[in-house]
Amino acid sequence: MGLEVVIAQDFEDMSEEAANIIIPKIREATIYEQVEFNVGLATGSSPIGLYKRIIERQKEFDATRVASWNLDEYIGLPGETLTERIIHPQSYAFFMIQNLFGRLSPPFAKTHIPRGAEIDQRKLVDALKEGIDRGYVHLEGNDKGKAVVVLPSCNDKYLRWIRDELLDSYLHSIRDAGGIDYWIVGVGENGHIGFHESGIPLHHQILLVKLDDNTIYNAVKDGHFPNREDAPQYAISMGAGGIFGHSRNILLLASGGRKAECISKSLLGQATSEVPISGLYTYAQNGGNVTYVLDEDAAKGILGRDALLNKKGIAIKDLRLKYA
Ligand code: GLP
């Protein structure tokens, strides 16, 4: 199994280490082997330093051989039209253009972002209400965040379009491309991966998701939205099962004390849907390759636990030693 935890000093050091892992892999595939490289991408503050370095070092690889897939996208950003919602400053499409895609020349061959902006949240809420009443929509999850499952018996055209054209086809595009070589992921305070919220069964491959209160709380706290009422309530997201099932390598980035508890639970505890990233351990046991790159604050729940981690087959690389 391959699960390594790299402990960096701070955010910059974490970003540098992540860049030194991923850029040579992209270079190897696109320059030396001259094959396509499929990368999975995340939004949020965690990967920003890594993206900055990918931009600075873009001459080291051939972007025209790279295709990317993002983890998730909001539904329900303010805006009457699709264009208004896509160019909303908090849309993940906008984030990616600003922090990576718009600053690569030449650009990636292909970029994919879940089509959450195409959904009209009011129409969705009405259709879901009726679907739940009539029994062709199920909500799954033990916490406030829920997977919205549109059952085969659903005869609502709008919900079927979301399920077939927006969810299933996204997953198929990854499968048809041969899977993801490296997926860069972040993690939420509650241990979510993408928007696969705490309490949602880990087998889900792709999700229409009702966001958890904690996710909305943090989005407001981090200044992305002025208040809860203006924050999106839904999203489209890769599910843990889809990420694990379609990627050969996963690089998890986490910085800050807010992440410490879910990080330690995922490494020291059992796999549980309460902490979706805990599925990474099982993923690694099944042959996947996982690297956590953490700053000191995010790592604080595992510091000094090397013996226990090693016993579980988890390797530790402590970069802070170079500053000691
Ligand atoms: C959001 C995104 C996740 C991301 C998480 C953490 O919830 N959907 O993909 O990992 O935020 O964000 P940050 O890196 O800003 O802490």
Side-chain angles (χ1 to χ4, degrees):
M1 86 167 229
L3 204 167
E4 183 178 43
V5 179
V6 181
I7 304 173
Q9 186 74 18
D10 53 23
F11 182 80
E12 291 305 321
D13 205 19
M14 174 195 83
S15 305
E16 187 66 23
E17 181 65 12
N20 288 338
I21 293 171
I22 191 95
I23 294 172
K25 301 283 182 206
I26 307 178
R27 178 178 175 79
E28 196 179 302
T30 62
I31 304 274
Y32 299 138
E33 294 171 21
Q34 306 221 327
V35 295
E36 313 305 307
F37 190 86
N38 294 339
V39 66
L41 300 173
T43 52
S45 52
S46 309
I48 286 183
L50 166 61
Y51 294 163
K52 190 173 140 240
R53 285 161 175 82
I54 292 178
I55 293 161
E56 284 164 2
R57 294 170 58 181
Q58 58 184 288
K59 294 283 168 277
E60 292 180 30
F61 58 87
D62 180 359
T64 67
R65 289 187 182 275
V66 179
S68 73
W69 279 261
N70 264 74
L71 282 173
D72 44 15
E73 178 60 287
Y74 285 124
I75 296 168
L77 285 167
E80 288 306 312
T81 63
L82 170 60
T83 311
E84 281 176 8
R85 296 192 290 265
I86 289 178
I87 63 168
H88 186 280
Q90 295 304 331
S91 89
Y92 287 167
F94 186 87
F95 174 99
M96 291 310 301
I97 293 168
Q98 212 179 19
N99 288 291
L100 186 61
F101 301 157
R103 297 163 71 188
L104 294 172
S105 177
F108 285 164
K110 273 193 176 166
T111 55
H112 306 79
I113 294 186
R115 291 160 57 190
E118 291 185 36
I119 298 173
D120 178 329
Q121 186 170 249
R122 272 168 301 192
K123 215 167 155 182
L124 172 68
V125 170
D126 289 346
L128 290 180
K129 197 169 169 304
E130 191 167 338
I132 291 167
D133 287 349
R134 295 192 175 195
Y136 52 73
V137 171
H138 276 179
L139 298 183
E140 288 184 17
N142 302 329
D143 211 335
K144 293 269 169 59
K146 302 281 185 201
V148 179
V149 181
V150 178
L151 299 176
S153 59
C154 173
N155 55 13
D156 181 280
K157 266 196 185 154
Y158 197 60
L159 294 179
R160 281 171 41 181
W161 168 72
I162 292 173
R163 182 192 62 198
D164 300 343
E165 299 297 322
L166 306 191
L167 302 183
D168 291 351
S169 66
Y170 195 73
L171 205 57
H172 294 162
S173 73
I174 294 176
R175 203 188 50 201
D176 294 348
I180 301 290
D181 293 301
Y182 247 93
W183 207 312
I184 297 160
V185 301
V187 58
E189 180 179 8
N190 60 7
H192 74 197
I193 183 167
F195 277 129
H196 186 125
E197 298 286 25
S198 170
I200 296 176
L202 293 177
H203 65 81
H204 281 283
Q205 299 213 40
I206 188 149
L207 296 163
L208 171 62
V209 61
K210 169 115 184 60
L211 298 176
D212 196 319
D213 284 351
N214 176 267
T215 301
I216 298 172
Y217 169 84
N218 279 325
V220 173
K221 190 171 159 209
D222 290 348
H224 298 302
F225 301 99
N227 52 55
R228 291 186 56 85
E229 289 64 43
D230 289 320
Q233 309 292 315
Y234 291 88
I236 291 183
S237 177
M238 286 297 292
I243 302 168
F244 303 156
H246 295 286
S247 327
R248 289 175 274 284
N249 302 277
I250 298 177
L251 180 76
L252 180 141
L253 290 167
S255 80
R258 190 160 95 192
K259 311 289 172 74
E261 190 179 340
C262 71
I263 293 290
S264 64
K265 279 186 180 166
S266 74
L267 293 170
L268 297 168
Q270 302 296 317
T272 164
S273 66
E274 302 312 312
V275 184
I277 58 162
S278 64
L280 284 166
Y281 184 75
T282 320
Y283 162 81
Q285 280 181 314
N286 292 335
N289 182 43
V290 185
T291 313
Y292 280 47
V293 188
L294 313 173
D295 74 356
E296 189 173 28
D297 290 339
K300 72 178 180 234
I302 55 162
L303 296 179
R305 314 291 292 272
D306 296 29
L308 193 56
L309 292 165
N310 290 339
K311 211 166 142 198
K312 290 189 78 180
I314 300 170
I316 309 289
K317 182 171 157 193
D318 195 342
L319 297 178
R320 297 170 314 148
L321 299 175
K322 71 182 181 202
Y323 300 97

